[in-house]
Every structure is written in C-alpha cells, then in structure tokens.
Amino acid sequence: MERLVERLEKAVERLETVCQGSGMCADGSSKGVAQYVQAFDALLAGPVAEYIKISKEVGGDVQKHAEMVHAGLMSERALLVMASQHQQPTESAFSSLLKPISEQIQVVQNFREKNRGSKLFNHLSAVSESIPALGWVAMAPKPGPYVKEMTDAAMFYTNRILKEYKDVDKKQVDWVKAYLSIWTELQAYIKEYHTTGLAWSKTGPVATEGAKSPPAAPGGAAPPPPGPPPPPAPAPTSSSTDDSASRSALFAQINRGEGITSGLRHVSDDMKTHKNPALKNQGGPVRSGPKPFTAPKPACNANPSQKTSPKAPALLELEGKKWRVENQENATNLVISDTELKQVAYVFKCTNSTLQIKGKINSITLDNCKKLGLVFDDVVGIVEIINSRDIKVQVMGKVPTISINKTDGCHVYLSKNSLDCEIVSAKSSEMNVLIPTEGGDFTECPVPEQFKTVWNGQKLVTTVTEIAG
C-alpha cells in the first residue's frame, strides 16, 4: 500500500513538472499524452489519492477494498490511453477491451459478499453499489448521468456511515467525503471530455483486442509504436468448403420460385389417414417428426473445487455487540432474549422463519430475507428492511423509524405506543401499515407507491397519486 501511495505522489510531482514547463497543462500540447488522459491523471492524483490515503488510515477491509478500486481505475486509464491513440473498434472488439474493467468490478463486489460479517460492512456496501460507475465508458450517449445514478446507489450506505460516526469518528466522515468526491469529479471530467461517450482518436489504427497500449507516463513520453497486426485467419478447411457448397445449392433451389414445388408427389385420398382409417391400424413403425432441440448437458467437471459451493451454515450468535442471525430456513422459534441497549441485530438470508427479539435493542437490519416474521419489543434507533420479500414486522413496544428499501411485500404492525413511528420507503412495493383499533383488531393502510411531480414555476412539487377504479 505504501508503494502505491509513493507511485501516486511521484505522478503528482511529474504533473507539476509538466505544468511548470512551457505551459503544457494550460494548452494540452504535451506530446504523447492526450489532454483527457492528463485530466484523468489529475483525478487519480487528487480525489483518488485522498481516498486511498484515508482508507489506509481506516485499515482492515476498507484498505483492501480501496486497493481493488484503484486497480479498476488503472484499468480504465489503460483504456483511455488506448482510445487516445486508436480509432473506435468494432462492438465485439470493444467488449473484449472492456473485460479487464468488468472483471475488476466483479472483484470489488465479490469482496463485499464474502465479508458480510465485517464491522465496516456499510463501507464495503457503499463502494460495491457504486463501483459499476467505472462502466461509463460503454454508456453512450449519456455516460455522465449513469455515473450519477451509480453514485446515488451508494448514498443509502454512506448516510448510514455518517449517521453512525458523525460525532464519534471524524476520519470516517472524511472517508465518505473523499470517496464520493471521486464520482463527483468523474462526472465533471466526463462532461468536459466525453459528454456523449468515450472519445476515440480520429487517426491511428483501429483498436483491436490484440492492440496492447501501455499506459503513457504523465511526464509526456512519446508512445511506443503499435504492435504487430493480428495473425491472419486460418485457411478454410474442406468441411467449411462443403458447407458453403450446400448453402449455395439450397439458395439456388429457393430462387427457383414456384418451380420449387414441381418435384413434389401428389397425395391421393387413399393415402390420407383421415380419409382412410384402415391405414391407422396397420403395423410397422410409426415415423415421428424431428426431436426438438435440447441444450447439450455439460460434461462432468473434473475439478471438484469448482462444484456448487456448500450451503452456508445457519447462525444465531452474539459477535461483540452484534447479534448475527444468518441462513435460517423453516425456523419458527428463533428467540433473542438476552439483549442490551448497545447491541444491534443483523438478520441475513433467512427464509420462511420467525424471529422474536425481547427487551430493548439499538437497531435491527433485515437483509435479503424471504417470508420472514419479526416481532420485537423496543428499538431506540432504526429498523431497516433491505432487498427482501414477503416480510411481516410487529412492534410490541416503541420504535422511532422503520426504513424499507428495495423490498416487495412488507406488512408493519404498529403498537399503540409506536403510532408516531416514521416509515421511510424507497424502491419498494406492496407495503402496508396496520394500525391497532380499540377492539384489538388492525386497520390496514397501504403505503403509496405512485406519485405525481409537477413544476410550479419555482420548484418541483410531488404529491401522491390515487388510482381511480
């Protein structure tokens, strides 16, 4: 990690040297390096370097994640250098050139999935939700709005970090600001240099998968000559010649027009089974039509390590101040009774189960659960439901806030003491809040899902839309 920071510092020094000599940074006339590559180097030396520095101070999983993000940004820089020296490739070749970036995005997201028990899970989630923004190079004609959309996806988790550490750890707040500034600066960069898509060179060879363009140094060194052209395609074999001849004969017959039916034989009535039932009773094999196409079965994998990963074990344990309830299936009697005010509960990937939490607890999070019932007494912070389906939550005591995000089907049963609860929802459907009545029953109230937004001359005004019918 120290070597990485040193490399970035040296890059900054080289950029400053270039700017001080003959005004190259001002007019973009640095030889060998396109102006938009220099601008991207400035982004790496600025917001990215600050993010890497603070991530190193935070340490742990955040530091490892930052190294992966930096690798993705360097892959993107290599593509920008290639685009500055080559003409736009074919679609298939461009897909191959994007592969290093897409693979690095996957590495970043897989790291989050493998570390769901991390104490810095919100940090990992913020990065994983927004890292697809590196794919802006393929998002013509609106790459800038795409980056903003990915940045907004991270806001849910960055807000949680700010809320948790705002008055506790300033370093965590600085980390959020540094990370989000990367995407803010990237949007400005795209708007200036790649407004409608990645800008390719108008001269030079057409980019191909084999065209390896090494990253140009920010100091202005001339680019190396292009590599040798790809090897010629192999000579066609005799089988391909036979296929071509067969296709030619087929098209020749089709082009005969009506004459193509001249070789068909007339079928008389005595040869038709629906007019001559005796034909149905005759023995002999019955000819059937061709079998429908079925995909070939994959061959047995010789490597047992590549088989489907084993089922994750079910957990219900206290880890520090966090109750972990994970991978529970068909468990209808899950109970957490020995709770404290500073503890939190994280419920992940539980299916067709019921969980009861007794006493007063700080917060509860349901993540990626299906058909789960949750009953709890008191929560002093927030109850969050994320990426779930068919959830039922019952409040026995009091809770100030319930957040529902990316969830389809959620019923919230409030108690008389929790009627002042705030319910915040986003990207969710089929939500209902059930209010207790004097007779002990509940009145079901649906949460609005459709809205109308109009411009009133000064600002946008959004109201709930009621569907008549």
Side-chain angles (χ1 to χ4, degrees):
M1 190 66 188
E2 293 179 357
R3 290 199 300 269
L4 180 62
V5 175
E6 290 176 0
R7 286 169 55 194
L8 289 172
E9 290 176 348
K10 290 179 180 179
V12 175
E13 292 175 0
R14 288 197 294 268
L15 281 173
E16 292 174 347
T17 302
V18 171
C19 290
Q20 291 172 358
S22 67
M24 287 182 178
C25 289
D27 57 12
S29 61
S30 178
K31 295 181 180 179
V33 183
Q35 187 175 5
Y36 66 68
V37 177
Q38 295 180 36
F40 193 80
D41 287 333
L43 188 148
L44 291 175
V48 175
E50 182 68 13
Y51 159 68
I52 299 268
K53 175 187 173 185
I54 299 177
S55 296
K56 182 180 178 181
E57 295 174 358
V58 175
D61 293 335
V62 169
Q63 180 180 356
K64 297 176 183 177
H65 222 199
E67 294 172 359
M68 300 174 189
V69 173
H70 182 262
L73 288 164
M74 295 308 294
S75 297
E76 186 146 281
R77 184 191 184 279
L79 180 62
L80 292 173
V81 173
M82 176 173 287
S84 69
Q85 301 172 359
H86 295 76
Q87 297 185 49
Q88 186 168 358
T90 61
E91 186 174 348
S92 59
F94 188 39
S95 298
S96 300
L97 295 174
L98 290 173
K99 191 174 181 181
I101 297 176
S102 61
E103 288 178 347
Q104 198 59 35
I105 291 174
Q106 194 64 42
V107 168
V108 172
Q109 294 180 329
N110 287 342
F111 185 80
R112 188 269 294 263
E113 295 302 321
K114 293 177 182 177
N115 293 275
R116 285 191 167 271
S118 173
K119 296 180 180 179
L120 301 172
F121 181 71
N122 287 332
H123 298 65
L124 305 185
S125 297
V127 174
S128 295
E129 291 292 332
S130 55
I131 195 64
L134 291 180
W136 68 265
V137 289
M139 292 298 166
K142 296 182 179 180
Y146 173 75
V147 174
K148 185 180 186 306
E149 181 181 350
M150 293 300 102
T151 307
D152 292 342
M155 297 300 289
F156 175 78
Y157 293 99
T158 55
N159 288 340
R160 294 175 68 178
I161 298 171
L162 294 174
K163 182 177 181 180
E164 182 177 357
Y165 294 102
K166 184 177 181 181
D167 300 321
V168 179
D169 189 350
K170 184 177 182 297
K171 186 187 302 178
Q172 307 290 347
V173 177
D174 293 339
W175 182 90
V176 170
K177 294 178 180 178
Y179 180 70
L180 292 180
S181 69
I182 295 176
W183 306 121
T184 303
E185 293 295 326
L186 182 60
Q187 291 176 55
Y189 166 81
I190 293 171
K191 185 176 181 180
E192 183 172 356
Y193 297 102
H194 310 275
T195 308
T196 58
L198 179 59
W200 292 86
S201 174
K202 302 298 182 182
T203 59
V206 176
T208 62
E209 183 180 1
K212 300 296 183 181
S213 179
T237 60
S238 57
S239 60
S240 62
T241 304
D242 295 340
D243 292 341
S244 299
S246 300
R247 286 194 295 270
S248 299
L250 174 63
F251 286 116
Q253 287 187 341
I254 293 175
N255 290 333
R256 291 170 57 190
E258 296 182 357
I260 194 172
T261 61
S262 61
L264 299 179
R265 187 179 60 171
H266 175 69
V267 180
S268 58
D269 289 346
D270 60 340
M271 299 171 66
K272 301 176 182 177
T273 56
H274 67 283
K275 291 190 176 182
N276 190 1
L279 292 176
K280 295 181 181 180
N281 300 325
Q282 293 180 0
V286 178
R287 295 184 62 187
S288 61
K291 293 183 178 180
F293 171 79
T294 55
K297 295 182 179 180
C300 294
N301 194 344
N303 187 358
S305 64
Q306 295 182 357
K307 293 182 179 179
T308 305
S309 57
K311 189 175 180 180
L315 292 178
L316 199 165
E317 62 182 12
L318 178 62
E319 185 179 88
K321 297 180 181 180
K322 177 191 289 187
W323 282 98
R324 294 178 58 187
V325 185
E326 301 180 7
N327 306 306
Q328 299 283 352
E329 293 187 7
N330 302 317
T332 58
N333 56 350
L334 300 173
V335 179
I336 297 177
S337 55
D338 188 13
T339 58
E340 296 179 6
L341 186 59
K342 295 183 179 180
Q343 293 175 349
V344 300
Y346 179 70
V347 185
F348 172 69
K349 215 168 186 178
C350 294
T351 305
N352 198 27
S353 301
T354 303
L355 171 65
Q356 182 179 5
I357 301 178
K358 298 181 179 180
K360 186 175 291 188
I361 197 169
N362 187 278
S363 65
I364 302 173
T365 300
L366 307 186
D367 187 1
N368 203 11
C369 296
K370 298 178 182 178
K371 296 183 179 180
L372 177 72
L374 170 66
V375 182
F376 64 90
D377 290 344
D378 295 286
V379 170
V380 297
I382 186 173
V383 174
E384 296 176 295
I385 305 162
I386 313 169
N387 295 323
S388 298
R389 190 172 67 197
D390 297 334
I391 304 297
K392 293 185 178 179
V393 177
Q394 183 167 5
V395 187
M396 304 303 293
K398 194 173 181 63
V399 60
T401 306
I402 296 177
S403 173
I404 307 172
N405 192 39
K406 296 181 182 178
T407 295
D408 296 324
C410 183
H411 288 67
V412 179
Y413 293 79
L414 297 178
S415 66
K416 293 183 179 180
N417 293 331
S418 61
L419 294 179
D420 58 347
C421 169
E422 294 182 358
I423 298 177
V424 182
S425 61
K427 297 182 180 180
S428 300
S429 63
E430 301 178 29
M431 300 171 289
N432 293 281
V433 179
L434 292 96
I435 308 298
T437 63
E438 294 296 335
D441 295 328
F442 287 88
T443 300
E444 186 172 345
C445 302
V447 177
E449 300 176 23
Q450 187 171 7
F451 305 92
K452 178 179 68 176
T453 302
V454 296
W455 175 254
N456 68 354
Q458 296 180 341
K459 63 179 180 178
L460 293 175
V461 178
T462 301
T463 56
V464 176
T465 299
E466 296 184 4
I467 302 176

